[in-house]
Amino acid sequence: MNILQPQIVQLGNRRYRQNFSSLKIQSNDTLAPYEEETDDMYTERKACDIDDQEYKDESCLMECQQMPTISDEQSQIEFVNGYYKLELRVASAFYGFIIGRNGEKKSKLERDTQTTVRIPRRNQGDTITIEGNDKKSIISCRNRLELFVQNARNQTPFTHLVTFPLKFEKLKHKFKEFMDLVIKDCSQDRGLHESLFQLPNKLHLTINICTLMSEYEAELASNLLEKCKKSFINDLLDGQKLKVQIKGLEYMNDDPEQVDVLYAKVADLNNGNLLQSIADGVMKTFVNCGYAKKQYDRVKLHATVMNSLRRVDQSIDNEFEEKKENKIRRETFDCRNILKLFGDFDFGIYVLEEIHLSLRFTSAPDGYYECVSKINI
């Protein structure tokens, strides 16, 4: 890491410099067992009179008003029995990252912020309690916990995807026609195999992928979709139908002889580039709330039709799979003839009516991903 240009981490409306540290998060931290906590792990506290005015400077007030993204609904600091207390709902999957081996990370957090962090025992809820003698310590601890959770989330494989489903019968028939033509005319091309094709029932336009580690986080993400609809999607559409044309083929890399992903291009048939604006807005909303990791400045809207990862593992559900074992064994294919013969293939014109938050590696009765929540547009 360049210490003069540290990584910037955004959490909600706040940005932090992630400075260099000699303490590294090891890859096996994600596998550390959940450690049960005992009462003797908590430090004793002597309640003392704190002059609240000491911390009513501008910076403290600003932080008090900017509640944490991990628990926006339960982030009010209370004064109880002589000390301040803050409750945060945090998915239990992240507790290992917070506690660390033998409780070292949690103990250091408590020493550095002069607080006590109470983490529930297994199967006893998902509310972490921070206790301290003043609000400033509570806020400092809360901010560090947010960073712990965000770093842990970034190291965890994604669990959900936000998409425009392409569940149109006409499109399924056109896609089947495309598959048959490619297999018939290009089957001798290097690396080509029918297993590379996307499942017709799971055709989609990906907006973003996200990591949601509890039902509560999935509920918050569902609320984000509703927020997007009310705050900008309805205004952008203004009663219009979101009409698109899926036509033409493109590939992900620079060499058509060595291709991993072949996709169909999507054209917005509305005025004002509505499709891109909606997708970018949804993506930024999820990134700003910490549930998605920013990959590009804009969403690259496309419908994957062939993916070399599917040759290796038929459970691969989209082009974002990052399993190392698949990368090692991945074999590209030559798509030059496909582009020559079918580069302008027209899959049809459709009206997009829904945005789904879906669970990865699942199938609903209609063959698409299991829907956690959706909005009609």
Side-chain angles (χ1 to χ4, degrees):
M1 176 186 291
N2 186 342
I3 62 174
L4 299 180
Q5 294 180 324
Q7 179 182 354
I8 303 299
V9 179
Q10 181 165 336
L11 294 172
N13 295 323
R14 300 191 298 279
R15 292 187 177 186
Y16 299 93
R17 291 188 301 271
Q18 186 168 332
N19 294 320
F20 173 80
S21 172
S22 59
L23 179 61
K24 300 291 185 181
I25 297 178
Q26 303 297 327
S27 59
N28 59 2
D29 281 353
T30 60
L31 303 177
Y34 182 92
E35 181 178 353
E36 297 285 357
E37 299 224 348
T38 58
D39 291 337
D40 59 3
M41 294 179 67
Y42 297 119
T43 58
E44 294 185 0
R45 180 176 315 284
K46 292 183 179 180
C48 58
D49 295 330
I50 300 293
D51 183 2
D52 213 29
Q53 290 298 122
E54 179 181 357
Y55 301 110
K56 289 186 178 180
D57 58 3
E58 183 177 357
S59 61
C60 183
L61 284 175
M62 183 178 297
E63 289 194 282
C64 286
Q65 293 163 0
Q66 295 175 334
M67 291 298 115
T69 58
I70 56 178
S71 183
D72 285 335
E73 295 181 359
Q74 296 195 13
S75 52
Q76 297 297 323
I77 299 177
E78 300 177 337
F79 189 74
V80 180
N81 296 328
Y83 59 87
Y84 290 93
K85 182 176 76 171
L86 174 65
E87 293 183 342
L88 304 174
R89 290 191 68 173
V90 180
S92 61
F94 297 129
Y95 290 174
F97 287 90
I98 297 171
I99 297 172
R101 291 193 176 278
N102 300 318
E104 291 177 359
K105 288 179 67 175
K106 174 178 171 292
S107 296
K108 184 177 187 305
L109 173 66
E110 291 175 322
R111 287 195 305 271
D112 291 347
T113 60
Q114 297 183 341
T115 58
T116 295
V117 179
R118 299 186 181 275
I119 298 177
R121 295 178 174 84
R122 191 184 302 275
N123 300 323
Q124 291 189 2
D126 60 357
T127 301
I128 290 179
T129 302
I130 307 172
E131 298 173 355
N133 286 328
D134 58 79
K135 288 184 177 181
K136 194 170 185 179
S137 298
I138 297 286
I139 292 170
S140 176
C141 183
R142 179 203 67 186
N143 292 344
R144 292 197 186 193
L145 278 176
E146 283 192 291
L147 287 173
F148 283 172
V149 170
Q150 193 60 51
N151 285 334
R153 196 185 302 277
N154 290 342
Q155 295 180 49
T156 305
F158 77 93
T159 58
H160 295 69
L161 55 159
V162 181
T163 64
F164 293 104
L166 301 177
K167 301 190 296 181
F168 307 103
E169 290 302 319
K170 175 185 173 183
L171 177 58
K172 294 177 186 178
H173 289 305
K174 294 294 290 184
F175 184 71
K176 182 65 165 58
E177 176 187 340
F178 169 75
M179 289 174 57
D180 292 341
L181 289 171
V182 170
I183 292 172
K184 174 178 176 290
D185 297 335
C186 306
S187 60
Q188 300 304 312
D189 293 348
R190 186 193 63 78
L192 195 67
H193 190 269
E194 62 181 350
S195 65
L196 303 182
F197 290 93
Q198 174 64 286
L199 298 176
N201 287 330
K202 290 192 173 179
L203 291 168
H204 62 274
L205 307 180
T206 301
I207 298 175
N208 64 268
I209 56 179
C210 49
T211 303
L212 308 173
M213 301 304 294
S214 67
E215 291 184 3
Y216 177 68
E217 289 192 345
E219 180 183 343
L220 292 182
S222 300
N223 293 339
L224 285 183
L225 273 186
E226 288 292 340
K227 176 184 176 182
C228 290
K229 179 178 179 178
K230 294 177 182 178
S231 61
F232 65 86
I233 293 178
N234 286 342
D235 290 340
L236 285 172
L237 288 174
D238 193 24
Q240 300 180 67
K241 297 293 186 180
L242 190 55
K243 186 180 293 186
V244 300
Q245 182 175 24
I246 304 175
K247 180 180 179 181
L249 301 173
E250 190 57 85
Y251 52 96
M252 285 291 187
N253 59 315
D254 297 327
D255 186 357
E257 292 186 65
Q258 305 284 334
V259 171
D260 283 316
V261 176
L262 185 70
Y263 61 89
K265 295 185 285 188
V266 181
D268 187 348
L269 300 183
N270 299 276
N271 295 324
N273 205 18
L274 293 181
L275 179 64
Q276 189 69 56
S277 297
I278 291 172
D280 289 344
V282 173
M283 179 269 291
K284 290 176 182 176
T285 299
F286 275 77
V287 168
N288 289 341
C289 288
Y291 291 136
K293 188 175 181 180
K294 186 175 182 180
Q295 296 179 313
Y296 308 101
D297 290 332
R298 306 188 73 190
V299 177
K300 184 175 179 61
L301 289 161
H302 63 280
T304 297
V305 295
M306 298 176 70
N307 189 335
S308 65
L309 281 171
R310 296 187 58 80
R311 182 201 322 278
V312 177
D313 185 350
Q314 291 299 299
S315 69
I316 300 302
D317 50 15
N318 59 61
E319 64 272 27
F320 293 97
E321 175 60 36
E322 294 291 343
K323 290 183 179 178
K324 292 182 180 180
E325 60 268 28
N326 285 324
K327 284 188 173 183
I328 294 173
R329 296 155 51 194
R330 193 168 188 175
E331 178 188 349
T332 62
F333 60 95
D334 186 344
C335 74
R336 288 176 297 173
N337 280 335
I338 299 177
L339 294 173
K340 180 180 179 180
L341 298 173
F342 311 109
D344 291 324
F345 191 90
D346 192 348
F347 292 91
I349 295 175
Y350 305 94
V351 174
L352 305 181
E353 298 179 335
E354 298 175 337
I355 297 178
H356 282 209
L357 172 66
S358 301
L359 184 62
R360 188 185 182 194
F361 295 135
T362 61
S363 291
D366 63 0
Y368 196 65
Y369 303 101
E370 182 179 326
C371 180
V372 175
S373 66
K374 65 181 180 179
I375 56 173
N376 296 317
I377 57 176

